């Protein structure tokens, strides 16, 4: 590890390692094979306080910021990337609440999330919107002291799971104001008019279900609004930019796992009279991956520090997300190649890593979106 950890970070990672050994490793493979949400493992993880590691201790968080959360995500992904996905997808709505919510709404939702009493999902992407989040169509219509929501969302990870208690939803409150007419709301599970579709089976994030959300005359009080009316787009873009640090950290953990599996298998495999890792066709690409891991870890910690210090971070988080997720795809592909024919059989852990890595290049903005964000800064370079 090329960075120096604080005492609190070291303690958190030690606790994470104990949790992984006792709670995750014995059972997580069964959930992955069945594409099932690991309810008891997630509940134990949440109740141990890990979900709140980044947030203000005043709301029962751990106070370790984006850097602490990135360290945690990477460590989880070294064992199971899908579990890290559950953590990072819960972190997105928590970040909205933490950065933009009033103290009242933080006490109502952020504190219980930090304590692990419930789980959250993020309702942003819509069926016809994709990466163009400014084109959100879900409507929040004022009616007395309430707003009435109508519309739908897709790809809401953690929605519909047993611990799921709330979703943060971005909707149009002022249609005549364009992108400045979006606002964000906390909508509790069970609110009349709010329903959740069934999850589909994915090539990655197999234990982190992603569902559609439906709002049909869903009535919520005006006090459910998070932050200021009209700030929805700013909140989305800020939250996605911060979330890219955790996606990159998950990619780093996945890359470490892929490399470990490749070296473990390759070191015991002989062909044509010698170990296959003596072949530069395999050892040199692995050396490149190790080099990229080193760079990615430094980039992640730098970007996380920018977030924690409230310095400009948008381009940097896009850079690290782009670099780390494409590195993960490269590492997963190489690890399968090292395994040869065995690499495509589900009995081998390496077989699922390519799908897990590919998902990371799509969430929180595709690789193309990251390049677009970065390219906008060329003038200032």
């Amino acid at each position: 590890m090329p960075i120096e950890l604080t005492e609190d970070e070291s303690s958190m990672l030690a606790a994470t390692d104990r949790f992984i050994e006792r709670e995750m490793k014995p059972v997580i493979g069964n959930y992955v094979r069945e594409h099932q949400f690991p309810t008891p493992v997630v509940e134990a993880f949440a109740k141990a306080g890990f979900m709140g590691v980044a947030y203000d201790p005043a709301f029962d968080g751990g106070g370790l910021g984006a850097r602490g959360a990135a360290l945690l995500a990477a460590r989880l992904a070294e064992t199971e990337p899908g579990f890290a996905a559950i953590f990072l997808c819960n972190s997105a709505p928590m970040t909205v609440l933490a950065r933009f919510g009033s103290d009242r709404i933080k006490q109502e939702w952020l504190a219980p999330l930090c304590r692990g009493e419930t789980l959250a999902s993020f309702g942003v992407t819509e069926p016809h919107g994709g990466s163009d989040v400014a084109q959100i169509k879900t409507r929040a219509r004022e009616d007395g002291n309430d707003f009435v929501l109508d519309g739908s969302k897709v790809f809401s990870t953690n929605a519909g799971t047993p611990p799921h208690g709330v979703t943060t939803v971005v909707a149009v409150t002022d249609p005549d104001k364009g992108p400045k007419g979006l606002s964000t709301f906390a909508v509790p599970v069970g609110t009349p008019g709010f329903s959740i579709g069934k999850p589909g089976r994915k090539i990655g994030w197999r234990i982190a279900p992603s569902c559609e959300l439906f709002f049909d005359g869903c009535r919520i009080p005006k006090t459910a609004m998070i932050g200021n009316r009209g700030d929805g787009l700013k909140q989305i873009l800020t939250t996605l930019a911060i979330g890219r640090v955790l996606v990159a950290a998950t990619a780093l953990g996945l890359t470490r796992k892929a490399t470990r599996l490749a070296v473990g298998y390759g070191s015991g495999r002989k062909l044509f009279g010698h170990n296959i890792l003596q072949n530069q066709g395999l050892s040199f690409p692995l050396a490149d991956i190790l080099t990229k891991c080193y760079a990615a870890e430094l980039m992640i910690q730098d970007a996380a520090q920018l977030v924690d210090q409230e310095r400009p971070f948008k381009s940097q988080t896009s850079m690290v997300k782009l670099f780390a997720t494409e590195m993960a795809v490269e590492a997963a592909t190489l690890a399968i190649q090292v395994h040869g024919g065995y690499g495509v059989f589900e009995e081998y852990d390496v077989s699922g890593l390519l799908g897990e890595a590919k998902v990371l290049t799509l969430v929180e903005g595709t690789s193309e979106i990251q390049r677009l964000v970065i390219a906008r800064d060329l003038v200032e370079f």
Side-chain angles (χ1 to χ4, degrees):
M1 182 173 290
I3 60 169
E4 184 175 349
L5 299 177
T6 67
E7 184 176 344
D8 286 343
E9 289 168 345
S10 295
S11 297
M12 182 270 292
L13 287 179
T16 303
D17 289 339
R18 290 192 295 270
F19 177 86
I20 288 171
E21 291 297 324
R22 297 172 185 173
E23 304 288 345
M24 280 184 64
K25 283 186 176 180
V27 298
I28 201 66
N30 298 327
Y31 290 101
V32 173
R33 283 187 288 274
E34 297 299 323
H35 289 243
Q36 289 184 352
F37 182 79
T39 300
V41 186
V42 173
E43 289 180 341
F45 179 81
K47 289 175 182 176
F50 288 112
M51 289 294 189
V53 67
Y55 303 103
D56 189 343
F59 300 99
D60 297 319
L64 295 184
R67 174 172 147 134
L71 290 167
L72 176 56
R75 190 61 58 91
L76 293 172
E78 287 187 54
T79 298
E80 172 46 48
F83 200 91
I86 294 169
F87 168 67
L88 73 88
C89 289
N90 194 53
S91 297
M94 291 180 74
T95 296
V96 173
L97 291 162
R99 293 184 74 91
F100 302 105
S102 64
D103 284 353
R104 180 198 59 77
I105 208 164
K106 288 178 188 177
Q107 287 292 357
E108 182 179 3
W109 288 117
L110 181 62
L113 286 163
C114 286
R115 294 193 297 267
E117 296 170 4
T118 189
L119 207 63
S121 67
F122 203 25
V124 175
T125 307
E126 296 190 350
H128 303 291
S131 297
D132 190 358
V133 294
Q135 297 302 313
I136 284 172
K137 303 299 182 186
T138 296
R139 181 75 183 271
R141 172 176 53 85
E142 262 188 289
D143 185 16
N145 292 322
D146 299 330
F147 279 99
V148 180
L149 295 174
D150 289 287
S152 64
K153 304 290 182 177
V154 293
F155 309 147
S156 186
T157 302
N158 292 333
T161 62
H164 183 216
V166 65
T167 190
T168 54
V169 180
V170 182
V172 179
T173 49
D174 300 281
D176 57 323
K177 294 183 179 180
K180 293 184 179 180
L182 300 175
S183 303
T184 308
F185 302 87
V187 183
V189 173
T191 302
F194 172 31
S195 60
I196 301 171
K198 293 183 178 180
R201 290 173 69 92
K202 306 189 294 290
I203 63 170
W205 290 20
R206 289 163 289 175
I207 61 172
S210 302
C211 301
E212 289 187 81
L213 308 179
F214 301 100
F215 303 94
D216 184 8
C218 176
R219 183 175 294 271
I220 53 174
K222 288 184 176 179
T223 55
M225 182 180 288
I226 302 170
N228 297 322
R229 182 168 180 157
D231 281 352
L233 183 61
K234 179 182 74 174
Q235 294 170 355
I236 296 169
L237 296 179
T238 301
T239 299
L240 291 176
I242 294 171
R244 287 165 188 154
V245 178
L246 297 189
V247 176
T250 300
L252 174 62
L254 188 156
T255 300
R256 288 171 174 161
K257 179 176 182 177
T259 304
R260 184 179 70 246
L261 291 173
V263 172
Y265 179 83
S267 62
R269 177 72 165 166
K270 288 188 175 182
L271 286 175
F272 305 108
H274 60 82
N275 184 277
I276 62 171
L277 293 187
Q278 293 176 322
N279 182 341
Q280 292 178 353
L282 294 179
S283 63
F284 279 16
L286 285 168
D288 289 341
I289 292 295
L290 290 178
T291 303
K292 291 179 181 181
C293 270
Y294 183 44
E297 183 164 14
L298 294 173
M299 290 174 71
I300 290 165
Q301 294 309 315
D302 179 68
Q305 185 169 292
L306 292 176
V307 171
D308 290 336
Q309 293 176 350
E310 299 291 342
R311 296 162 60 193
F313 55 77
K314 184 175 66 174
S315 290
Q316 288 83 354
T317 60
S318 284
M319 289 175 185
V320 69
K321 195 267 187 183
L322 173 65
F323 181 83
T325 57
E326 296 201 344
M327 170 188 73
V329 171
E330 182 182 351
T333 303
L334 178 59
I336 292 172
Q337 197 73 16
V338 170
H339 282 70
Y342 293 107
V344 301
F345 283 87
E346 291 185 355
E347 290 82 0
Y348 287 77
D349 286 347
V350 74
S351 65
L353 290 183
L354 184 55
E356 298 287 345
K358 190 59 188 173
V359 173
L360 297 174
T361 69
L362 304 174
V363 297
E364 312 288 50
T366 64
S367 292
E368 291 76 17
I369 290 295
Q370 306 317 315
R371 290 185 171 95
L372 179 63
V373 171
I374 297 162
R376 287 173 177 164
D377 281 349
L378 285 174
V379 175
E380 300 176 9
F381 183 73

